[in-house]
Amino acid sequence: MIAAPEIPTDFTLLQESETHFSSDTDFEDIEGKSQKQGKGKTCKKGKKGPAEKGKSGNGGGKPSGPNRMNGHHQQNGVENMMLFEVVKMGKSAMQSVVDDWIESYKHDRDIALLDLINFFIQCSGCKGVVTAEMFRHMQNSEIIRKMTEEFDEDSGDYPLTMAGPQWKKFKSSFCEFIGVLVRQCQYSIIYDEYMMDTVISLLTGLSDSQVRAFRHTSTLAAMKLMTALVNVALNLSINMDNTQRQYEAERNKIIGKRANDRLELLLQKRKELQENQDEIENMMNAIFKGVFVHRYRDAIAEIRAICIEEIGIWMKMYSDAFLNDSYLKYVGWTMHDKQGEVRLKCLTALQGLYYNKELNSKLELFTSRFKDRIVSMTLDKEYDVAVQAIKLLTLVLQSSEEVLTAEDCENVYHLVYSAHRPVAVAAGEFLYKKLFSRRDAEDDGILKRRGRQSPNANLVKTLVFFFLESELHEHAAYLVDSMWDCATDLLKDWECMNSLLLEEPLNGEEPLTDRQESALIEIMLCTIRQAAECHPPVGRGTGKRVLTAKEKKTQLDDRTKITELFAVALPQLLAKYSVDAEKVTNLLQLPQYFDLEIYTTGRLEKHLDALLRQIRDIVEKHTDIDVLEACSKTYHALCNEEFTIFNRVDIARSQLIDELADKFNRLLEDFLQEGEEPDEDDAYQVLSTLKRITAFHNAHDLSRWDLFGCNYKLLKTGIENGDMPEQIVIHALQCTHYVILWQLAKVTESSSTKEDLLRLKKQMRVFCQICQHYLTNVNTAVKEQAFTILCDVLMIFSHQIMTGGRDILEPLVYTPDSSLQSELLSFILDHVFIDQDDDNNSADGQQDDEASKIEALHKRRNLLAAFCKLIVYTVVEMNTAADIFKQYMKYYNDYGDIIKETMSKTRQIDKIQCAKTLILSLQQLFNEMIQENGYNFDRSSPTFSGIKELARRFALTFGLDQLKTREAIAMLHKDGIEFAFKEPNPQGESHPPLNLAFLDILSEFSSKLLRQDKRTVYVYLEKFMTFQMSLRREDVWLPLMSYRNSLLAGGDDDTMSVISGISSRGSTVRNKKTKPATGKRKVPEAEESSSSDSMWLNREQSMHTPVMMQTPQLTSTIMREPKRLRPDENYMGVYPMQPEHHQPPLDYKQQEEAARQQQERAAMNYVKLRSNLQHAIRRGTSLMEDDEEPIVEDVMMSSEGRIEDLNEGMDFDTMDIDLPPSKNRRERTELKPDFFDPASIMDESVLGVSMF
């Protein structure tokens, strides 16, 4: 296979002309140096013996015939394919694979090393193979260039980025192979100054390649190699310490017992270990300075992330050598990276360091410098980064509480209210560690105390104080959920909370204030809800998940505990706080989470009776809607027919409703007596009773009390007299609405008679008429209530009611007439599409503050959504939506999402009718403009421009699939043309039709017509045109001219627009999922002008660098667009388009002059490019400033001359690899700390951050 037994190791990939590094980084010739060769051993199976190697003819001619594979020697191919395939499959034991390779290396290290080199090449996705001939005679830069040409041009993927099951474990297997290789070679082979020197040189050269696959794979390999070497160095350090201790112990013995031979042996061993450590440190220096220092600033985020992840491992594994400011600074700088995955690696690396408290002293300087950045990262736009930043701060807090200021902690505290649960949970843990985890020594003696005297009492108070100080009182559920995982015992100590509310304070203890008691009750309710439901509050999480068996058991146990405690305590709490509406509302929600069976099994019926009495008293005392609805829900929760307590609760409920109904009928009869003016007391009594009945009717079927008649009387009297108090009308409408709904539920669920249906139909129609009358009421609140109920009733009793096989309900279907539709639409236009100031003025003296504005906007959005729902479900005519659609632009910020969704839904129902509605809305706006400004309006006016912009927005909603919307667009043009020619000019045909300017608006939709449809529409347009019209060229005829041109011109516009869209997408940054464009495909000029790859390729042409042209275009690793390195006006694509036929051809002299001018411009632009790049390098476009890219990056250039130019602006003093030159090793170069010396990496202006 290889003729010569010894090959000079000139595999020096780091040449001065090819990279940043100077020539002294190349490995020197170590010919004849072959330590520990496996002489006398048999060859590995499948490989030829030394005698057979001479027969292969590798020294002279080329192998041919069956001995060749893919253009290379078959033996090489089989060997490296075996190594690559084994790692790819990841099934075999990696140690056996490595052991086989070591045996091969001991037998013939050149063959084995060549196999290893080809293994790295193949792992990069390259099809090429480095032959022995190339290994012997070619320079490293030539080999890499040769391998670059072997890449598959049809794909930009490589093993580390490929998807699929076979590549799923490739990265882990690849990393494992490198680790096992170093581990198995750590006692001899890595010190032979041959294998490691060659591998490090190869990986360093590949990591500086312009090919992303080479750079990514080699950087990962180099970093894993460094990690393995760090582990070896750590073991050497431990062995040296042990040897030194043994030597000291032996030397301290008395002379008679001292073993001189052992002393000499220990000295020799220490010397060998010291030499090995020097070797390892030199190797680490080479990798760190040759790979890490450059690649942690790479353009590719994945490569930067690899570097940061590995340096974190080094610092954690070998803290004595690496955990100092010289290496921590790289992590600190990279925390400003603009890619979330890189910032995430920084934080996880730091977590491993802060977790070990023994390392805290070495992190003090780093913490003081970068603490503010870590705190700011808690608000990172990437939630994963924010979570890890909070966790890191929690570790910092545990290491030293003095580090974080009160302001730092407050920045984290408020995140417990975040809608993103992982962020909130992390913040909750931080809050718990800071405020709740500390326990005084005196608390240890009262651990077994319960209630108010338990150690949790003070912690519960602290939680209440924190909740009140945060001033987010409506988010107690979020606070509880945030701390649920870390403070479960505290949050489930309901006995302590109950004691704090019911028991008197101890001597010297301050009682809770009224505000604190309210907060404690709210927190207690949230903890009970979380324990009973076992899922986060609304807004957190994706929904209910399936509970595990353990979680279900915990849930049952908690419900039992809750019921046993509060079945007894709740009546007492209600009695104590019966007059406080806020407290009572929260307390009344507790029975929803009870296990009602315990009332019977625990013999707690007397406590149930006490609870029912308290609820009845609360109903009689309160008229607040929230309190009454809470009472209603409590009765509903207790009235469960599955439990034996149902009869007891049902009787109490019936008695209460009987009293309320009798009282209401009696009061109403007195209230509606003719000839008497009702006084305020009577009105208040009627209203309070009506509120109670309405609240109960919401959750309970009160049909047997026949409430429709009395409410109808009340509402009809209000219409006739017009002096009914608004609140009475509002609640009467709501109560009647509930009556209708309960009647409908009854006839739907059971076999109803025809009489029941007719009675319900009659009641529903009468009720709709009443609501329609109240739409014209003078009071805004009454009108809004009538409108909302009308929309609900029309929606419920529409044709949708018969779905699901319920044809029996057909008599109930109600379709609103045109007058009702018109009134509903008028209400929307009058009460929704209004200015904010107008709404505030009409809101009954409502204060003009932000909260009231938001609430008013929310109410208006609900009203609009209710009407749009009628449009979407075809309850009202679709053309009524025209008045809604025309408001799209004017009220886009307030209602844009609702209107756009309505457009989308209506288009799904009927594309043609939707298109006709859109054009109708534009016609309405046009007519309104004519009425305001007359027919001689200015077409450049803001009003007309606004209509055109609205038409453009409408056109965009039709999407890109023109086939789907073909008929709708054609019909839209038909209606638009008819409208434009509808009104002839009274002055005669020599003057344009009055609405002709509408064609200017209609032309916005021309691009949505298919090519053949444009001709059809044009023919239709000609039917309305006279011969004289076609000859007119005055300004007043411009709309007709422009519309005709939009139909005639652009026969190829559709195709070109598609191509342009594709090119714009193709010009974006290529990631591992996208396939880059190859250099073989011809593209239109429009595509070239927008393609960054073509732009770079053209720049290479203009600079006359044929080396770049030989490199396939897919190898470009430029991951962001160049900052205008070449002016657009000079750009001609790689494949310039031929001139159009209508352009006159240039003569020869003109062409020659144009070419000369182009070359001069290109030369000037290149000079500007160089100066701009050097200026950018000196000034610094650093990753560390404002989260910008960290790179003045060496992978953006490829030609030798430009790299030299680039290096003129860089001062990298420590970037030279200084590997030992075999036996005569230079002075030891340790990994000495530079303590943030800027010259060690780059000047401070480049980094953009101050040093420590």
Side-chain angles (χ1 to χ4, degrees), residues 1014-1069:
K1014 287 184 178 181
R1015 183 62 186 169
T1016 305
V1017 173
Y1018 181 74
V1019 171
Y1020 188 74
L1021 175 66
E1022 287 185 323
K1023 293 181 180 179
F1024 293 85
M1025 294 171 53
T1026 63
F1027 179 72
Q1028 289 79 9
M1029 288 183 183
S1030 61
L1031 300 177
R1032 293 290 183 177
R1033 292 295 181 268
E1034 294 88 349
D1035 287 347
V1036 291
W1037 294 92
L1038 281 177
L1040 177 59
M1041 295 161 57
S1042 63
Y1043 183 59
R1044 288 180 63 200
N1045 291 337
S1046 69
L1047 297 177
L1048 291 174
D1052 297 328
D1053 282 352
D1054 298 332
T1055 306
M1056 293 303 293
S1057 64
V1058 172
I1059 292 174
S1060 176
I1062 294 172
S1063 69
S1064 64
R1065 291 192 297 272
S1067 66
T1068 57
V1069 173

Side-chain angles (χ1 to χ4, degrees), residues 280-297:
I280 295 297
E281 288 182 351
N282 283 325
M283 295 175 197
M284 292 191 297
N285 253 324
I287 297 175
F288 186 81
K289 295 178 182 178
V291 180
F292 178 89
V293 166
H294 301 279
R295 298 282 70 81
Y296 94 97
R297 303 176 294 122

